[in-house]
Amino acid sequence: MDLPRYHRLTAPYYRLEGRRCKRCGELQFPPREACGACRGRETEPYRFCGRGAVYSFAEVAQAPRGFSGPYLVALVELEEGVRVTAQLTDVDADEVEIGMPVEMVTRRLQEKGPQGYLVYGYKFRPVMSRSRAS
Amino acid sequence: MRDVFVIGAGQTPVGEHWHLGLRELGAAAIRAALDDAGIETVDALFAGNMLGGAINGQENLGALLADAAGLLPAEAWKVEAACASGGAAVRAAALAVAAGVHDVAVAVGIEKMTDAVAEQVTVGLATASDGDYEASHGMSFVALSALLMRRYMHETGACREDFAPFAVNAHRNAASNANAMFREPISGEDFARSPQVAAPIGVLDAAPVCDGAAAVVVCSREALRPAHRAVRIAAAAAATDTIGLAGRADLLTLGAARRSAEKAFAASGFAPQDCDLFEAHDAFTIITALSLEACGFAPRGEALKRAAHGCFARGGCIPLSTCGGLKARGHPVGASGAYQVVEATAQLRGEAGANQVAGARVALTQSIGGHGSIAVTHVLEA
Amino acid sequence: MRASRAVGIAGYGAYVPRLRVRTADISATWRVRGAAAPAVAEKSVPAADEDVVTMAIEAARTALERAGTGLAWIDAIGAIWVGTESKPYAVKPSATIVAEALGITPHVVAADMEFACKAGSEAMQAAVAFVGSSMVEAALAIGMDTAQSKPGDALEYTAGCGGAAYLFAGADEALAVVEASISHVTDTPDFFRREAAHYPEHGGRFTGEPSYFRHTLAASRKLLAEVGSEAKDYAHAVFHQPVPKFVEKAAAELGFTPRQIRTGLVAPRMGNAYAGSSLLGLAAVLDVARPGDRVFFCSYGSGAGSDAFSFRVTERIAERRRGPSVLDYLERRRLVDGYGQYLRLRGKIRRS
């Protein structure tokens, strides 16, 4: 069931938390032990804002075991400039365009069978309207 | 470091081998290569394979195949680099000989994919990608290629049909390769009409699920004999890039492929224009296009234009997939890198039959894993 | 009931899924031609990747965003309860997953609550008590459901999906202050589900007068008496919404006008969100309420009981409406392609 594995992934999966290099300020997602830019070893948690745009997308028709297709996958470029790979949700294939603004939501990523563990994590959906924003 | 020579090459046909398992396939390819080299045994065996554990429940393939092929008690271990495992196995064998540790070694690339149903194969292939940040989000291997292809089309204005020449060329060449999985040519129309697997990737953009094994015997100059139709490994190099596509500095530059090619060219003294053929990692037409650009055969975004002019077809400036490539000869994933070297060797020996590139003297082979996270490049010289 | 210090709602957030199924499509499969029209025209359906946890996370995030200055609340929240009858795990709290997603662990009281459709207002009572006793500075109460209904049963025509989250804190932070609350419960088995059963059972007409109406009316009257007010003193009234007709009847009995219940009546557009129903109605009211408005609230949960609350909206309401409103969610709508697709999404098709 991979319980320890998914437990370790709580911060990035639930909160889109990556790392920020203390030495050069580079942001990274997924989190890594070392900075990808300067190879520095001192990094701190960084929570991404969750807003971004579709950089590329595809529709998965033949889903791997454990997933139920069809569904949309995308490379999302976050506002902070970092890209993340994720499923798109709450949108139909013919509505998606490169450049479309999206926002992070937390959804079921996997169900390890009807009696099994549920993996929750980030997906992205078209930005919802906010008619009463003050 | 010593010079290294390929003195034996062997392969099984690529296909759905319901009656042959890992032992049988591996032993067949190894014995064919040893027979081609006229030798009984080797000092070391390097087994390139990706899915033995995930699909076949069998790891420790070095020992398994040394046992099956009658090569005990040679040094033998598995080399894994996703779909570049075959290329990496050849590199490991060559490094052992070049370093002076062994005089004769065999590298075998082997994959037995058809024992599992499609969904399970998809899970296995996804282990090449980022497990926690791609596979566990439902990214199939095909979907990752689709992300690349769609972005490429967006940036260059290309359409799906512009990728057809790679598939058409591969199938045309496979028709005259007795070991190829697909023997029927296809047309540009077939390509355009092919069902979508993960749009824009269609069935004819992608290499098939299949079984096969290919092996090469390498040795030092001291171990060469006059009967060997030796081909020199002029240079080899490997490099890595981010495990996940999201981390790439430029999504459409295969940095590892570029770096390994640059290093191999530099070490060999050859340049792209010196190559008479290129066995590229044509698992997907988009990877073919990006590989050509990474290795210096076309500027960024221009590979399709050159393909349209026939640059990469038989008789063109740099023939690709001369025996069918991954696309049509087949892509038993961990084996393909070894098939590339076997085919390049045949070309440089003048033994490629109907597929012979006239006067082939320098061949480039490139085996890529995980959508470019690992690339192994070889330059071979007649 | 009144807490030892004045407390109120500091932030609130709603959630309704995007998908809808037309009840006419359900009717076409099960009913005879000429049967009575379903009580609601369409109901909300969760997508395959949604459940009470995911919806609660979104509603709670909106509540925190609305409460303002984001991160300070993370440290202040000392308790979180998720009230639902469609927990993803029968045993394993949803509340801890929500808490982790919000980043408010580890020093929080966290649990799931069950009392059929009043599990959400149950959480509100607990939040008021923990904040009101000064045990915690702030507490989250969430009511959310994706409840299952038996194929072809009357409830399948109304069982919808959604809910809301409420962040309770001291009255000096509140957009709506709690004047008082009441709970009225008896052991009344009008609707229930045994542990291993997929679908609930219900008592047909027994769910009406002896159940919904008895408890809703008793709790409401008791609260009005305790606060010393009458129906006409309220700008809005929100009730639990199994079907619109029940709300209209209860309101009329208590002296509330159709105008007073209109804003909080969300069921016509999405069905009955069970433990989320009355909380969603309250959110719809808060989306338009004005400073000084009094809001009457009474939930109902089978089993049975009602929680009644009296709220007074403060001037802070105007600056606490960032984020999607209930109407934004109701207007975000995509019809599922017929009853078959609905059954597939809800996992009601046997595959082994």
Side-chain angles (χ1 to χ4, degrees):
Chain A
M1 277 196 282
D2 292 328
L3 297 175
R5 171 190 177 189
Y6 289 110
H7 182 63
R8 284 193 294 271
L9 292 168
T10 296
Y13 272 34
Y14 289 6
R15 303 192 292 274
L16 207 62
E17 212 171 85
R19 305 293 289 183
R20 184 186 165 279
C21 178
K22 284 187 177 169
R23 193 158 81 184
C24 74
E26 179 93 346
L27 299 177
Q28 52 187 8
F29 189 89
R32 288 181 185 78
E33 291 316 303
C35 175
C38 75
R39 301 195 204 268
R41 298 291 175 85
E42 282 203 62
T43 61
E44 60 192 356
Y46 180 89
R47 198 190 292 201
F48 289 84
C49 72
R51 290 182 301 274
V54 173
Y55 191 75
S56 187
F57 66 96
E59 186 165 25
V60 175
Q62 186 168 76
R65 178 166 291 174
F67 293 87
S68 174
Y71 49 86
L72 289 161
V73 298
L75 269 169
V76 174
E77 187 161 274
L78 300 173
E79 259 179 30
E80 295 91 341
V82 170
R83 289 187 203 131
V84 61
T85 315
Q87 284 190 31
L88 294 177
T89 191
D90 287 359
V91 68
D92 297 327
D94 54 13
E95 295 174 314
V96 184
E97 278 180 347
I98 290 181
M100 187 174 93
V102 290
E103 58 189 4
M104 189 269 273
V105 289
T106 305
R107 293 292 171 92
R108 269 196 197 184
L109 283 186
Q110 296 181 43
E111 182 189 25
K112 306 280 191 188
Q115 329 286 354
Y117 182 62
L118 295 163
V119 179
Y120 294 97
Y122 50 83
K123 292 193 184 185
F124 288 82
R125 69 163 179 214
V127 175
M128 258 201 81
S129 84
R130 284 153 161 79
S131 58
R132 277 175 180 70
S134 43
Chain B
M1 297 279 268
R2 311 193 288 183
D3 279 335
V4 181
F5 298 86
V6 177
I7 56 167
Q11 61 184 299
T12 70
V14 178
E16 294 174 313
H17 295 300
W18 307 113
H19 305 293
L20 300 173
L22 285 167
R23 281 173 161 87
E24 293 80 17
L25 287 168
I30 291 166
R31 293 252 59 105
L34 262 55
D35 288 348
D36 186 49
I39 58 177
E40 278 291 301
T41 190
V42 293
D43 301 326
L45 168 109
F46 299 89
N49 167 269
M50 182 185 167
L51 300 171
I55 283 185
N56 313 111
Q58 179 70 61
E59 293 285 18
N60 202 10
L61 288 182
L64 181 87
L65 294 180
D67 191 341
L71 297 177
L72 300 175
E75 168 172 350
W77 34 273
K78 170 170 159 167
V79 176
E80 186 277 314
C83 300
S85 297
V90 173
R91 176 154 174 67
L95 280 173
V97 169
V101 174
H102 293 298
D103 290 320
V104 188
V106 65
V108 59
I110 175 169
E111 206 69 68
K112 176 72 199 164
M113 301 171 82
T114 59
D115 278 358
V117 294
E119 291 175 320
Q120 193 55 32
V121 174
T122 308
V123 169
L125 290 175
T127 63
S129 64
D130 187 331
D132 288 340
Y133 297 96
E134 288 177 334
S136 61
H137 285 258
M139 299 297 143
S140 66
F141 214 56
V142 175
L144 290 169
S145 294
L147 289 176
L148 288 171
M149 190 169 176
R150 190 180 290 279
R151 184 72 199 182
Y152 189 93
M153 289 161 64
H154 175 80
E155 287 192 23
T156 61
C159 61
R160 257 192 39 72
E161 290 70 24
D162 296 333
F163 289 84
F166 299 128
V168 170
N169 172 61
H171 280 269
R172 183 185 177 211
N173 292 336
S176 24
N177 176 3
N179 288 305
M181 181 158 174
F182 296 122
R183 305 298 306 279
E184 295 299 317
I186 62 163
S187 66
E189 256 172 46
D190 293 328
F191 182 88
R193 276 183 292 136
S194 71
Q196 299 285 278
V197 176
I201 304 264
V203 168
L204 288 178
D205 282 289
V209 166
C210 51
D211 308 325
V216 291
V217 178
V218 293
C219 75
S220 62
R221 190 181 290 280
E222 292 70 29
L224 281 180
R225 297 290 170 267
H228 292 148
R229 288 131 35 249
V231 163
R232 190 173 78 94
I233 297 181
T240 49
D241 201 342
T242 61
I243 184 74
L245 285 187
R248 299 287 163 84
D250 170 19
L251 185 69
L252 300 180
T253 295
L254 294 179
R258 179 165 72 183
R259 192 170 171 72
S260 66
E262 281 168 357
K263 290 181 80 173
F265 281 132
S268 65
F270 292 117
Q273 58 265 33
D274 298 322
C275 297
D276 298 306
L277 61 123
F278 179 23
E279 294 303 331
H281 192 86
D282 59 330
F284 295 96
T285 52
I286 178 62
I287 301 294
T288 313
L290 294 176
S291 302
L292 287 163
E293 293 170 10
C295 295
F297 295 109
R300 190 181 184 288
E302 306 272 307
L304 298 185
K305 288 192 196 128
R306 299 223 168 153
H309 291 309
C311 198
F312 309 118
R314 197 186 281 178
C317 29
I318 178 76
L320 286 181
S321 313
T322 66
C323 301
L326 275 57
K327 177 68 197 73
R329 168 250 293 142
H331 182 32
V333 293
S336 295
Y339 274 95
Q340 290 171 329
V341 176
V342 164
E343 289 158 3
T345 299
Q347 288 284 1
L348 297 176
R349 284 169 163 180
E351 295 170 4
N355 290 330
Q356 185 65 49
V357 172
R361 205 178 63 85
V362 179
L364 183 72
T365 73
Q366 187 172 69
S367 191
I368 296 178
H371 289 90
S373 52
I374 168 74
V376 183
T377 306
H378 286 85
V379 178
L380 297 143
E381 186 191 13
Chain C
M1 299 186 292
R2 285 179 173 79
S4 359
R5 67 172 182 128
V7 303
I9 297 169
Y12 71 101
Y15 188 83
V16 182
R18 174 176 165 259
L19 299 176
R20 306 280 183 275
V21 65
R22 276 195 312 221
T23 51
D25 291 340
I26 305 176
S27 217
T29 297
W30 293 104
R31 287 186 172 166
V32 299
R33 245 172 290 141
V40 304
E42 60 183 39
K43 57 176 201 167
S44 54
V45 181
D49 62 0
E50 295 188 291
D51 62 21
V52 161
V53 164
T54 66
M55 304 193 303
I57 289 170
E58 176 155 337
R61 280 180 175 150
T62 302
L64 258 61
E65 193 189 334
R66 283 186 173 147
T69 55
L71 287 181
W73 289 107
I74 300 289
D75 296 323
I77 297 172
I80 171 171
W81 293 280
V82 175
T84 179
E85 57 186 275
S86 47
K87 282 155 66 66
Y89 296 94
V91 177
K92 192 212 155 339
S94 314
T96 56
I97 308 172
V98 178
E100 202 72 67
L102 297 174
I104 62 176
T105 56
H107 300 296
V108 280
V109 171
D112 294 357
M113 288 185 166
E114 190 279 306
F115 198 136
C117 299
K118 92 165 183 80
S121 57
E122 196 78 54
M124 287 165 60
Q125 299 279 28
V128 167
F130 268 59
V131 176
S133 66
S134 300
M135 276 176 72
V136 302
E137 268 184 73
L140 266 167
I142 304 171
M144 196 66 72
D145 251 312
T146 61
Q148 280 290 21
S149 50
K150 198 182 294 178
D153 179 75
L155 291 180
E156 198 184 30
Y157 294 86
T158 57
C161 171
Y166 290 88
L167 179 66
F168 284 86
D172 54 350
E173 282 291 345
L175 54 90
V177 172
V178 177
E179 295 181 314
S181 68
I182 285 285
S183 251
H184 179 101
V185 306
T186 66
D187 184 25
T188 302
D190 55 316
F191 163 106
F192 57 86
R193 183 172 67 80
R194 297 294 302 281
E195 167 102 42
H198 281 312
Y199 307 119
E201 304 291 329
H202 61 89
R205 287 189 58 81
F206 184 69
T207 64
E209 197 277 316
S211 309
Y212 179 90
F213 291 102
R214 172 160 301 192
H215 298 79
T216 299
L217 297 175
S220 298
R221 286 176 180 134
K222 176 92 176 152
L223 180 69
L224 289 169
E226 171 138 336
V227 173
S229 56
E230 297 169 40
K232 66 177 173 54
D233 299 331
Y234 292 90
H236 302 277
V238 178
F239 295 92
H240 172 55
Q241 307 165 35
V243 287
K245 233 178 14 182
F246 272 34
V247 176
E248 288 151 13
K249 183 158 180 244
E253 289 272 337
L254 294 166
F256 290 105
T257 65
R259 212 177 112 98
Q260 285 172 298
I261 60 170
R262 192 196 317 152
T263 305
L265 189 55
V266 293
R269 294 183 72 169
M270 58 169 286
N272 172 10
Y274 285 46
S277 175
S278 50
L279 275 71
L280 255 178
L282 179 59
V285 162
L286 292 175
D287 283 341
V288 303
R290 289 177 296 203
D293 280 353
R294 286 172 89 188
V295 179
F296 187 87
F297 170 99
C298 186
S299 66
Y300 172 73
S302 292
S306 287
D307 296 308
F309 284 75
S310 183
F311 295 100
R312 181 187 295 274
V313 178
T314 73
E315 65 285 353
R316 281 181 212 96
I317 188 87
E319 70 207 32
R320 302 279 177 96
R321 291 194 175 121
R322 259 186 299 274
S325 64
V326 172
L327 270 183
D328 287 325
Y329 282 105
L330 290 177
E331 263 143 39
R332 179 186 75 143
R333 170 186 168 273
R334 188 203 182 287
L335 219 44
V336 156
D337 234 335
Y339 186 49
Q341 279 296 332
Y342 162 77
L343 289 174
R344 178 190 170 187
L345 272 173
R346 297 263 46 208
K348 300 201 218 189
I349 300 178
R350 240 181 66 167
R351 297 188 76 183
S352 63

